[in-house]
Amino acid sequence: MITEPAAARLLLVCAETGPQRRWLVNLALADLAHQDAGRSILAIDLSGGAAPAADRAPGLDWRAYAGEPWADQIWRQLLPVLQPWWELLDGAAAVAERPGRQEIPGLDAVLRCLFLADQCAGLCTDQDTSQKASQLPHTLVILPPLEQALPMLQLACRGPDLLEGLWRPLLQWWSQTRERLAQFELVLRLRLPSAESLELSERWYGCLDRLAQRLSPAAATAEVLLAVAADAADLGDLGARIAALPLCGLPRLRLWLDADLPDALAAQVQRQLAIPVLIGNQQRQGLDSQAWLRQPLPQQTLLWQECEGLRRCRVHLPGLQREGLQVQRIGQILQIRSAGLRLAVPMPPGWSQLACRSARIDSPWLAIDFE
């Protein structure tokens, strides 16, 4: 009997503190090495502060994000593209200085996303053979704390869509504008850059597209190990914090609640979230991390169901809250908004003309009925 090789796993570790991060990283490395001893592991540290495990796993390739050198490298790639604009503005003689990562809001998240896409480049292609798939390394991504990680994860999960939806129309507009200004180009001695010169290189587009595919819930290879420190008074907003990840496009997650809770309250949290939850401090005896890692995660996180004339969509969104929840169909997209985040779900053929009739939370699922 011939069995298909297991797919390479993608684990994302997100923690609030350094000790939490190191504990989860060591736990994830041990689990990957134990489950698939013959496969190498690529660790991409985006946190800027996670040290490699003391007892490194065999075949571990550790790559750390260094903000300033990476920003310099990206800037050098941008210079040829920006040069025509400086000439247009009569600033060719000016010294091109790279803006600081903190000077432009959101730039640091973009740089981290590009670093992740660059390091993952070549690990997966659309034409992977079974033999090659068995040789791909597992990937461990160490993220910064959740508030910093969310903008980067949104870009990583939606990068190609953002390029198509925002960048391409802008380039088309500039191409049309340039044609209208062509008659003035010679008279005013302008050198108008072409839209083609502003295109993102095929390499970068491919890197971002492959990263988004690997993070996609449909691939069922990416999962998040999330650590949150809390006590009983903090549990009220716990669901909203957790829901941020599936609303960014990462619904398959495990939660480590770094807290000491009474057994009854711990059981209540388990029931409400309905996802793998590990509760307790690192020092607490009997913290069964192995059982936590073995709890199954859903292979399908988006279900389109039709039974006896009723059409329903079920979306795996653990932690989702009713307050502020908005669900609407916009063209062929089902849009779910909550807590300032938006999840866009493409609708299958035959569904895009239906109207949303009702939505209810059946934790960890959001059930949406259509008519």
Side-chain angles (χ1 to χ4, degrees):
M1 177 179 178
I2 300 176
T3 59
E4 291 292 328
R9 295 172 65 190
L10 174 58
L11 297 184
L12 299 99
V13 168
C14 186
E16 296 177 332
T17 67
Q20 291 174 344
R21 190 178 300 115
R22 287 190 291 273
W23 190 76
L24 282 179
V25 166
N26 286 334
L27 184 67
L29 287 174
D31 183 62
L32 290 174
H34 174 74
Q35 289 293 308
D36 201 345
R39 197 189 297 249
S40 60
I41 302 172
L42 170 62
I44 304 172
D45 180 10
L46 299 175
S47 71
D55 51 343
R56 288 191 174 194
L60 174 62
D61 180 7
W62 188 282
R63 305 179 188 179
Y65 170 75
E68 294 304 320
W70 177 247
D72 287 336
Q73 182 176 335
I74 296 296
W75 183 247
R76 287 193 296 271
Q77 295 180 33
L78 285 174
L79 286 178
V81 177
L82 296 175
Q83 187 65 33
W85 292 96
W86 286 323
E87 294 177 358
L88 175 63
L89 299 173
D90 198 25
V95 177
E97 293 186 3
R98 174 180 62 81
R101 289 183 295 134
Q102 306 305 325
E103 295 177 13
I104 302 178
L107 179 59
D108 191 63
V110 173
L111 289 171
R112 290 177 196 260
C113 177
L114 291 177
F115 182 81
L116 176 59
D118 180 72
Q119 298 305 306
C120 288
L123 295 182
C124 56
T125 67
D126 296 335
Q127 298 175 338
D128 281 332
T129 63
S130 296
Q131 182 178 6
K132 183 178 179 182
S134 67
Q135 298 171 349
L136 291 174
H138 294 306
T139 306
L140 174 65
V141 179
I142 302 98
L143 298 167
L146 187 60
E147 287 71 19
Q148 285 181 265
L150 287 176
M152 188 210 74
L153 292 174
Q154 286 181 293
L155 288 171
C157 292
R158 299 180 54 212
D161 291 338
L162 289 174
L163 288 172
E164 291 293 339
L166 299 176
W167 189 246
R168 304 263 182 219
L170 180 61
L171 293 182
Q172 184 178 7
W173 168 83
W174 174 247
S175 181
Q176 295 170 349
T177 301
R178 187 175 185 269
E179 289 180 6
R180 290 195 294 268
L181 294 175
Q183 57 183 315
F184 303 106
E185 191 169 2
L186 181 60
V187 176
L188 299 178
R189 297 182 180 180
L190 299 176
R191 296 181 62 184
L192 300 178
S194 66
E196 290 75 15
S197 68
L198 302 176
E199 287 275 4
L200 188 69
S201 72
E202 287 298 322
R203 177 186 178 277
W204 276 117
Y205 190 89
C207 288
L208 290 169
D209 186 52
R210 287 192 291 272
L211 175 61
Q213 289 181 28
R214 199 170 179 201
L215 289 170
S216 168
T221 58
E223 65 181 78
V224 181
L225 307 183
L226 174 65
V228 173
D231 56 28
D234 300 319
L235 297 182
D237 65 347
L238 180 61
R241 297 182 67 186
I242 294 170
L245 285 165
L247 285 169
C248 285
L250 293 166
R252 304 176 71 246
L253 64 94
R254 305 177 190 274
L255 171 67
W256 169 31
L257 192 56
D258 188 5
D260 280 322
L261 299 178
D263 291 342
L265 191 54
Q268 179 182 337
V269 171
Q270 296 269 7
R271 289 194 301 271
Q272 289 177 345
L273 295 177
I275 60 173
V277 180
L278 181 66
I279 300 177
N281 300 122
Q282 296 177 46
Q283 295 80 13
R284 180 177 173 180
Q285 297 296 322
L287 195 60
D288 194 351
S289 58
Q290 295 304 313
W292 177 58
L293 292 173
R294 298 293 171 267
Q295 287 182 261
L297 294 174
Q299 291 299 303
Q300 289 184 289
T301 57
L302 178 63
L303 304 173
W304 300 93
Q305 302 170 330
E306 184 173 4
C307 181
E308 297 180 355
L310 175 65
R311 292 190 175 187
R312 174 177 297 162
C313 173
R314 288 172 61 83
V315 189
H316 189 71
L317 292 171
L320 187 67
Q321 307 293 298
R322 289 186 58 185
E323 184 178 358
L325 175 64
Q326 295 181 352
V327 180
Q328 61 181 142
R329 180 185 63 79
I330 301 179
Q332 299 181 5
I333 299 296
L334 180 64
Q335 185 170 267
I336 303 169
R337 288 183 177 271
S338 178
L341 297 170
R342 177 178 68 91
L343 179 66
V345 181
M347 301 182 71
W351 289 66
S352 58
Q353 300 305 315
L354 301 176
C356 300
R357 186 182 70 183
S358 63
R360 71 179 187 280
I361 296 174
D362 183 15
S363 186
W365 297 87
L366 171 66
I368 306 162
D369 290 338
F370 295 85
E371 60 181 4

